[in-house]
Amino acid sequence: MSANAPSTTAGSSGYAEFHRRSIEDRDAFWTEQAQMVEWQQPFTTVCNYSNPPFARWFEGGLINLCHNAVDRHLKDRADQNALIFVSTETNEEKTYTFAQLHTEVQRMAAVLQSMGVVKGDRVLIYMPMIPEAAFAMLACVRIGAIHSVVFGGFASVSLASRIEDASPKVVVSADAGSRGGKVVPYKPLLDEALRLSSHKPERVLMVDRGLAPMPLTEGRDADYATEAARQNGVVVPCVWVESTHPSYTLYTSGTTGKPKGVQRDTGGYTVALAASMKHIFQGEAGQTYFSTSDIGWVVGHSYIVYGPLIAGMATIMYEGLPIRPDAGIWWELVERYNVSVMFSAPTAVRVLKKYDSSFITGRNLGSLKALYLAGEPLDEPTAQWISGVLGRPIIDNYWQTETGWPILTVCNGVEAAPSKFGSPGKAVYGYNVKLLDDATGAELTEPNQKGVLAIEGPLPPGCMQTVWQDDARFVNTYWKSVPGRMVYSTFDWGIRDEEGYYFILGRTDDVINVAGHRLGTREIEESISSHPNVAEVAVVGVADQLKGQVAMAFAVPRDASLLTSEADRLKMEGEIMKRVDEQLGAVARPARVRFVSVLPKTRSGKLLRRAIQAVCEGRDPGDLTTMDDPAALRQIQDLLAG
Ligand code: AMP
């Protein structure tokens, strides 16, 4: 940014004014923020909201995400670290400077181009946390291809539905991931997914880590090292794309069984991330950022790969557990690489809390400015513990795959503000946050009223543009019209206090959050229902001390005579868990599968999931006057008591 460019921070009038301007003087505000990134051609319209709820940010502008993340920094920091890869699974540690990253990304881009990938094509990335995954993401956006990363923990059925929907020209994968020292082969899962999917990609590009067999299908599959050697030194210029050109899709769970492809633009996303790195994370070029997430999740997209690199920071990509070889590993990395900003999830902190705090206090963590936590509710004991041990600000932030960057937090980069335990903070600039009455949709303006957390349109830059290939689903799923405006529902309950701090009270839909992983109960139910002896099943999220929530399943067998003994029931429970592991992945595996003769339903046949959940958590199930057969809930109560 030039010295006389307008200031992008609050000035003397504080955060409230900063937020007010972002809403009331939206175009001027975002024009200023957009100065933080480089445009090949300036935009002509800041926000085209002529067709609500579709917002088109920075129309007329030409930009490239890879240019802003990599090439742009070559001038000032070519020899500084850009990507630091650490695997405690394979005991590797490798750093890439911006110049080296530039070379690697071009190599990957050249390979993709040699396979026919051009602007607008989809490339599905199903990979463990290895540098090639980041190269592939950056290579795609470099050439205008749209990547779709699928979390490596998902199995064949989950993967197949995403391949089907994204219809990629190429799939990039690897022989295997590794977790806790155990190799998890990817190729068999990928091959099975490709068999299940009606869409068949033209090519499959495989990175061979030497961990597992990787049989290549002639004519379709290629070995990355061989292909890359052919492209050595090839220069692949950035393809300048319209600001509104999709950069990626990322699938996320909702109420229905079919995951939604959250589609993100390019220009708005680049600006939103650059601004968030400054105002929220206070990251500075030349420093190191460490996000412990996975590239398969939105945090990995925004704050392992793109955000830190856009800010000219080095980013750590870590493959492994937080407690292996011991519970000090993350803090060892913070010390070794002088990490200034760290981002993790409450579940990880709860895991660390079980170990001696000297794993943390025994390190020189002088470089660390703050720890950011997101993805699930941050409970007060966990927040208190880590705050005490670390002696640094712990900053909760609330957002979603759909938004791509925080909705609620404290923006200390704008104005230092206290955090409140149990609250992620206030509405972030750009977000016109509302609480709506669930029944009437009316806005709740008084403090301490419970409502559905909503955002008045347009969503700020960087948020989802639409559902991939399904505008109607985008509108119908997320948006409600209230006279004169449209509001986006987060599907979370919330409360706002007198000072504008929000508190999140859980989802309004059937989405559960297990260790920060968002799962749709319907997807799990569909998988369980495929067991030949399951007639019907209900999956609910139940509070768990460590993981926040776990999935619990209650199934009605088709033939109860096969389940007369405890051994029969355990056997079938094991079969169901294995099925979920194989189809969806271990992340979706229920903690328990219990068998009942009937499920609690309303007289009109709607499953009473909330009542089941309440009973599982020892709470009052509430008004049951519409229940068809009260014995159904009692059966579950008795099972849990026994
Ligand atoms: P995901 O799209 O996987 O990031 O999941 C988004 C959902 O996770 C939100 O709708 C919330 O239900 C939950 N969530 C994310 N961050 C927080 C947070 N800081 N506090 C409470 N819930 C959160």
Side-chain angles (χ1 to χ4, degrees):
M1 192 168 70
S2 64
N4 56 3
S7 160
T8 54
T9 44
S12 55
S13 35
Y15 183 71
E17 171 58 13
F18 191 72
H19 184 269
R20 190 200 61 74
R21 271 199 73 219
S22 75
I23 305 298
E24 292 175 13
D25 200 2
R26 182 185 72 207
D27 287 5
F29 178 89
W30 285 108
T31 300
E32 288 164 17
Q33 306 306 315
Q35 313 300 312
M36 277 190 256
V37 306
E38 281 185 7
W39 298 85
Q40 203 261 346
Q41 179 179 297
F43 48 89
T44 47
T45 309
V46 181
C47 178
N48 176 351
Y49 196 52
S50 58
N51 180 27
F54 300 94
R56 296 170 66 81
W57 283 96
F58 307 116
E59 254 185 354
L62 290 180
I63 193 164
N64 185 285
L65 187 47
C66 183
H67 169 83
N68 276 285
V70 183
D71 301 43
R72 177 190 178 190
H73 302 299
L74 296 176
K75 188 161 57 73
D76 296 329
R77 51 193 87 258
D79 297 327
Q80 289 181 11
N81 279 347
L83 182 67
I84 300 166
F85 167 62
V86 179
S87 173
T88 50
E89 297 290 334
T90 55
N91 291 320
E92 282 172 281
E93 197 151 337
K94 223 167 161 181
T95 58
Y96 299 84
T97 63
F98 277 97
Q100 289 165 331
L101 181 60
H102 185 235
T103 304
E104 294 290 353
V105 170
Q106 290 189 85
R107 217 194 312 265
M108 178 70 83
V111 172
L112 293 175
Q113 282 182 333
S114 76
M115 296 182 153
V117 175
V118 295
K119 182 183 167 197
D121 283 342
R122 274 81 57 214
V123 172
L124 189 132
I125 300 173
Y126 178 59
M127 290 180 99
M129 287 282 287
I130 54 174
E132 287 80 0
F135 303 160
M137 292 167 75
L138 289 160
C140 284
V141 295
R142 186 173 191 84
I143 59 175
I146 302 165
H147 63 67
S148 193
V149 181
V150 177
F151 175 54
F154 283 136
S156 52
V157 170
S158 306
L159 181 56
S161 69
R162 287 154 173 83
I163 293 174
E164 189 97 44
D165 196 75
S167 57
K169 187 175 259 181
V170 172
V171 172
V172 187
S173 190
D175 58 339
S178 179
R179 197 173 156 75
K182 195 171 157 271
V183 170
V184 185
Y186 280 22
K187 191 68 187 347
L189 297 173
L190 175 59
D191 283 341
E192 172 64 5
L194 291 172
R195 195 187 62 75
L196 293 172
S197 166
S198 66
H199 172 82
K200 309 290 179 197
E202 290 171 21
R203 304 299 304 274
V204 173
L205 184 59
M206 297 294 302
V207 175
D208 190 356
R209 309 177 71 191
L211 295 179
M214 194 184 81
L216 300 179
T217 300
E218 179 95 35
R220 186 194 69 184
D221 300 357
D223 169 59
Y224 180 63
T226 313
E227 297 299 314
R230 288 203 194 116
Q231 305 296 337
N232 237 346
V234 174
V235 174
V236 180
C238 289
V239 172
W240 300 103
V241 299
E242 307 77 46
S243 174
T244 51
H245 179 69
S247 55
Y248 66 80
T249 64
L250 179 58
Y251 287 84
T252 192
S253 303
T255 298
T256 62
K258 187 173 175 266
K260 290 182 285 278
V262 168
Q263 178 183 318
R264 195 96 61 214
D265 75 353
T266 303
Y269 188 53
T270 312
V271 171
L273 291 185
S276 73
M277 290 305 296
K278 177 174 181 179
H279 305 312
I280 299 175
F281 298 100
Q282 301 180 72
E284 282 167 33
Q287 298 180 342
T288 305
Y289 196 104
F290 180 18
S291 165
T292 68
S293 184
D294 186 287
I295 47 138
W297 307 115
V298 68
V299 179
H301 283 64
S302 294
Y303 298 114
I304 294 177
V305 180
Y306 295 117
L309 293 176
I310 288 171
M313 298 178 82
T315 183
I316 296 182
M317 192 171 185
Y318 175 74
E319 182 189 48
L321 302 178
I323 48 165
R324 199 170 168 273
D326 62 44
I329 177 64
W330 282 357
W331 315 100
E332 193 184 318
L333 295 178
V334 171
E335 183 175 16
R336 183 166 346 139
Y337 291 106
N338 288 314
V339 169
S340 65
V341 186
M342 191 165 167
F343 192 141
S344 194
T347 292
V349 177
R350 286 191 292 265
V351 168
L352 293 173
K353 195 168 159 224
K354 295 207 242 162
Y355 295 82
D356 200 307
S357 56
S358 65
F359 280 118
I360 303 177
T361 53
R363 293 282 168 188
N364 176 0
L365 306 178
S367 59
L368 190 66
K369 288 188 289 193
L371 171 64
Y372 293 79
L373 297 173
E376 54 179 320
L378 174 61
D379 57 288
E380 185 162 344
T382 303
Q384 294 273 22
W385 178 78
I386 189 69
S387 163
V389 173
L390 212 51
R392 297 285 187 291
I394 306 301
I395 302 178
D396 188 359
N397 54 116
Y398 159 88
W399 46 296
Q400 311 179 299
T401 306
E402 287 85 346
T403 66
W405 60 287
I407 305 168
L408 303 174
T409 191
V410 287
C411 297
N412 282 335
V414 180
E415 181 189 38
S419 288
K420 287 190 186 184
F421 283 119
S423 163
K426 299 184 181 184
V428 169
Y429 56 88
Y431 290 97
N432 193 2
V433 178
K434 309 272 175 199
L435 285 173
L436 304 181
D437 182 280
D438 185 33
T440 64
E443 186 177 344
L444 305 172
T445 49
E446 294 299 313
N448 303 316
Q449 289 177 290
K450 178 179 168 180
V452 178
L453 196 85
I455 303 163
E456 187 172 330
L459 292 175
C463 294
M464 84 188 287
Q465 286 181 296
T466 187
V467 172
W468 173 252
Q469 301 286 35
D470 204 344
D471 286 348
R473 193 168 176 206
F474 173 62
V475 177
N476 298 334
T477 305
Y478 294 104
W479 294 88
K480 263 206 184 84
S481 283
V482 288
R485 57 209 170 113
M486 288 191 85
V487 283
Y488 164 92
S489 173
T490 61
F491 293 96
D492 281 301
W493 295 109
I495 272 187
R496 181 181 52 234
D497 72 8
E498 293 81 359
E499 291 173 301
Y501 284 76
Y502 286 83
F503 294 78
I504 301 295
L505 307 171
R507 295 281 303 195
T508 63
D509 59 4
D510 294 324
V511 163
I512 62 172
N513 194 319
V514 179
H517 301 329
R518 173 167 160 186
L519 302 168
T521 49
R522 298 285 166 89
E523 283 168 82
I524 307 175
E525 286 171 1
E526 278 176 22
S527 175
I528 295 176
S529 299
S530 72
H531 187 286
N533 196 24
V534 171
E536 234 190 331
V537 61
V539 170
V540 297
V542 176
D544 180 80
Q545 284 250 313
L546 185 67
K547 298 182 174 179
Q549 274 187 316
V550 290
M552 284 281 242
F554 294 92
V556 179
R558 277 185 204 283
D559 184 353
S561 71
L562 298 174
L563 297 181
T564 46
S565 71
E566 185 59 13
D568 292 338
R569 287 189 287 271
L570 284 174
K571 181 166 167 280
M572 180 155 159
E573 180 175 17
E575 286 167 11
I576 288 174
M577 288 186 176
K578 186 155 172 272
R579 190 167 279 258
V580 174
D581 276 10
E582 285 169 359
Q583 294 189 349
L584 304 181
V587 280
R589 184 198 306 153
R592 287 297 317 262
V593 183
R594 311 299 296 265
F595 299 98
V596 289
S597 61
V598 58
L599 288 169
K601 289 188 184 164
T602 61
R603 279 184 210 107
S604 56
K606 263 185 85 177
L607 207 50
L608 285 164
R609 287 195 184 76
R610 308 244 157 253
I612 303 177
Q613 182 186 37
V615 163
C616 289
E617 293 181 347
R619 289 183 286 113
D620 176 5
D623 180 15
L624 296 175
T625 46
T626 61
M627 189 148 86
D628 186 32
D629 177 6
L633 202 58
R634 268 202 305 278
Q635 216 185 100
I636 292 178
Q637 258 159 340
D638 292 346
L639 255 184
L640 296 168

